[in-house]
Every structure is written in C-alpha cells, then in structure tokens.
Amino acid sequence: MRPRRCNTEESMRSDTRRNIRLLLNAVAEEIEENPTGLSMQSAAARAGIGTATAYRYFSTLDDLVAAYVLEVFEELKTFSHDATESGAELFNVVLREWVDVVLRNGQAMVHLRSRSGFLQRLDAGNPVIDRSREIWERPLASLLDDMDEPATDLRWAMFLANILSDPREILDLHRAAGLSVDEICASLDGAIRGAIAGWSTVTSSTDMLLPDV
C-alpha cells in the first residue's frame, strides 16, 4: 500500500514549523556570535530563508527574540513544575537550572530589554514575565516558608529575585569574575535571602509604608 500523500495545507504547516524553528535557532546563534550586526536579515540569512518569509512569521526582530526567550522559559517552567523537591531545596534546584540555562544560551538571554519595570510588566500580563512568575512562584513561596517570612511577601520576593538573578549579571559573574556555577548559585542564594530578609525588616517598620501590592 502506498503511503498517503500529505495535502498542500499539511505541507504548508510543516514548512511553517520548520522555518520558525530555523529562525529561532538562527537568532540565538546571531545574538551570541554577531550581536552588533543582528537584524532580521542576518537571522533569516543564517536560517537559510528569505527575509520576506521571516517577516511573515515575526513582525519585528524583537518579536523573534521574544519568541526564542519565551520558548526557553517554557522549558524552565516545565522543569520548575515537575521538580519534586520542597522548601529551600526546591528553590536551589530551580535557581541552579536557571543559571545553567543562562550560561547555555548566553547573550540570547540578555538581548530582550524593556523600558517597563518588572512589576508593571507582571501586572500587564507580559508573556515573558508571566512565564517567569510561573517558574519562580512555587520555589520562592517554598523559600519564604523556609525563612519564616510571610507568604504575602511573595510578590516582593519575585521582584527582588528578578533583580538579583538577571541574566546579564549571571554572565558577568561567570565571564568577568570567573565564578563557577556552584559559586554563582551560592552567591545568588545568599543575596536573594538577604534581600528578602532586609526588605521584610524595612517594610514591617512603622517608619516606612509601602503601597499595598
């Protein structure tokens, strides 16, 4: 029996998936190897497809980069959700995976920048920040519990962790300071714990009132 021939629509969907995958891989390589020359044209050329075709899938270069980062975050979200650890151990396992992901993906993790702050993007439902929330919500809640800090501080904990675990700074610690993965993780763990404890102390003081978040 002859295999059933795919119809034109199925073939087009297959081509679309292939081209998008090629573009996502290409933009990550371009960011790492040619960051100053990065453009939709350079990504399309590396992917081996036409620039006009690339623009059919992504309206702007920022959209293409965001799609790549979002894919990375989806994988990390799955890792976080599937982790069986609890308490501080859960936080440390996810933190280490985050550091590993940043070091594996390099500059691709820092190319996407925004003029809006973390909390503003979180409240606006920014897709990348929303994935970040899904990655860190359970590990940080476990860390707060381990530190005997109130669960109501979770939003602030995510805010502080986002600042301290910025991919740009992780790469700097590894490339410029020469820290190993273990050293980076230990440093970030201590810094995030210290920031949470310090924030909690200050905000619980009657001398400082913060808006209800």
Side-chain angles (χ1 to χ4, degrees), residues 15 49 63 85 114 152 158 165 209:
D15 287 345
I49 64 177
D63 287 344
E85 292 80 2
S114 173
T152 52
M158 287 193 290
S165 62
L209 296 177

Side-chain angles (χ1 to χ4, degrees), residues 128-143:
V128 172
I129 299 301
D130 197 49
R131 293 301 179 281
S132 178
R133 176 189 60 77
E134 293 177 309
I135 291 165
W136 290 107
E137 201 165 41
R138 189 167 70 98
L140 283 169
S142 296
L143 180 63

Side-chain angles (χ1 to χ4, degrees), residues 30-207:
E30 279 290 294
I31 290 171
E32 189 65 26
E33 299 174 15
N34 183 34
T36 59
L38 176 65
S39 65
M40 187 67 90
Q41 289 82 359
S42 69
R46 184 181 285 264
I49 64 177
T51 302
T53 300
Y55 274 115
R56 285 209 301 269
Y57 305 127
F58 300 99
S59 299
T60 67
L61 177 62
D62 283 347
D63 287 344
L64 173 56
V65 174
Y68 175 77
V69 173
L70 190 60
E71 185 176 73
V72 173
F73 274 38
E74 283 286 352
E75 294 176 1
L76 190 55
K77 182 188 77 172
T78 299
F79 176 90
S80 179
H81 283 192
D82 291 347
T84 58
E85 292 80 2
S86 60
E89 187 179 359
L90 172 62
F91 172 74
N92 286 320
V93 164
V94 175
L95 177 62
R96 186 181 184 90
E97 181 67 12
W98 170 245
V99 172
D100 285 340
V101 164
V102 170
L103 296 183
R104 281 200 306 269
N105 290 277
Q107 291 300 123
M109 298 297 291
V110 303
H111 188 80
L112 190 65
R113 307 295 290 177
S114 173
R115 294 181 180 179
S116 301
F118 174 81
L119 295 176
Q120 184 178 351
R121 286 178 289 159
L122 178 65
D123 292 340
N126 176 279
V128 172
I129 299 301
D130 197 49
R131 293 301 179 281
S132 178
R133 176 189 60 77
E134 293 177 309
I135 291 165
W136 290 107
E137 201 165 41
R138 189 167 70 98
L140 283 169
S142 296
L143 180 63
L144 288 174
D145 183 62
D146 184 74
M147 295 174 63
D148 292 323
E149 296 289 353
T152 52
D153 283 356
L154 179 58
R155 179 179 168 90
W156 292 123
M158 287 193 290
F159 171 74
L160 295 168
N162 179 73
I163 295 171
L164 292 168
S165 62
D166 185 281
R168 189 185 305 273
E169 313 314 331
I170 290 175
L171 290 172
D172 201 34
L173 289 172
H174 183 63
R175 295 173 177 176
L179 270 62
S180 68
V181 172
D182 287 343
E183 290 170 330
I184 293 172
C185 290
S187 299
L188 292 179
D189 175 56
I192 292 170
R193 283 174 175 271
I196 290 173
W199 190 278
S200 179
T201 298
V202 172
T203 56
S204 63
S205 169
T206 56
D207 296 329

